[in-house]
């Protein structure tokens, strides 16, 4: 009788210990699953960049480096022998909304039943989502003309008109000036700004002859 009682106690302890271990393992799996749901779902891309299994912060860093940063590279403008640099962000109002695009990627993730997803998770069959957040960008189309007007004010040169020195009875020839074509230059900048591979432009400058 005592032996049977001892065996029952041992079995009860084994069951209790097994239950505790099972409960701990279940909680650990649930914690891992919940942590997975805080990540962007596998198969999601932002502007073609794979951000699946990334935290939003990791995704923002990756998209900024791989996609957005080249758009913010400075533009180098050549006004004849002068060189002027323009910042796409500060001077031209360029904006690539990386944070908003990543937020959309996160919002699109894990749009399924919690427990159905948990079942797939423990079976190592996590759902793969085929979803791409397209690249978005914007800039101030009027900013280029405003900035170029400032450049013209700095580098344009008015022609010097010819003169007659009546005392010396001599003729003093004039000198040509130069003028930046602001409208054409602004159009060219607005065309090249959305293309990060184009960041150098020779500005159209015309020679202005004196009368």
């Amino acid at each position: 009788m005592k032996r049977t009682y001892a065996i029952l106690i041992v079995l009860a302890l084994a069951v209790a210990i097994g239950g505790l271990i099972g409960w701990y393992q279940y909680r650990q799996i649930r914690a891992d699953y919940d942590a997975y749901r805080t990540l962007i779902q596998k198969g999601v891309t932002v502007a073609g960049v794979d951000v699946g299994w990334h935290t939003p912060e990791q995704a923002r860093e990756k998209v900024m480096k791989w996609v957005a940063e080249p758009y913010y590279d400075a533009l180098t403008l050549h006004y004849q022998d002068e060189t002027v640099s323009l910042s796409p962000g500060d001077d031209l109002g360029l904006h690539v909304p990386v944070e908003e695009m990543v937020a959309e990627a996160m919002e699109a993730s894990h749009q399924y039943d919690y427990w159905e997803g948990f079942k797939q998770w423990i079976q190592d069959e996590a759902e793969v989502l085929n979803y791409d957040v397209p690249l978005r960008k914007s800039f101030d189309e009027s900013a280029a003309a405003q900035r170029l007007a400032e450049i013209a004010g700095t580098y344009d040169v008015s022609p010097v008109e010819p003169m007659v020195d009546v005392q010396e009875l001599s003729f003093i020839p004039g000198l040509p000036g130069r003028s930046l074509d602001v409208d054409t230059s602004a159009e060219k900048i607005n065309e090249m700004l959305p293309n990060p591979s184009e960041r150098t432009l020779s500005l159209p400058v015309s020679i202005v002859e004196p009368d």
Side-chain angles (χ1 to χ4, degrees), residues 16 40 52 61 72 112 208:
I40 297 173
E61 291 177 357
Y72 291 102
Y112 47 79
V208 182

Side-chain angles (χ1 to χ4, degrees), residues 132-200:
D132 178 65
V133 179
L135 172 64
R136 302 188 184 99
K137 54 187 180 294
S138 62
F139 63 93
D140 183 356
E141 295 187 8
S142 66
Q146 296 174 6
R147 188 69 184 89
L148 287 165
E150 297 173 3
I151 294 172
T154 301
Y155 296 108
D156 281 1
V157 177
S158 298
V160 177
E161 302 301 331
M163 300 176 61
V164 175
D165 188 334
V166 295
Q167 293 182 349
E168 297 293 334
L169 298 178
S170 62
F171 176 78
I172 304 173
L175 296 173
R178 62 186 185 184
S179 176
L180 172 65
D181 187 338
V182 172
D183 291 339
T184 300
S185 300
E187 183 178 343
K188 289 179 177 293
I189 289 175
N190 287 341
E191 288 176 355
M192 66 186 291
L193 193 59
N195 186 353
S197 64
E198 297 181 10
R199 285 295 180 266
T200 303

Side-chain angles (χ1 to χ4, degrees), residues 76-84 151 155 178 201 203:
T76 300
L77 310 180
H78 296 289
Y79 186 117
Q80 293 188 338
D81 295 334
E82 307 290 344
T83 300
V84 180
I151 294 172
Y155 296 108
R178 62 186 185 184
L201 175 65
L203 298 173

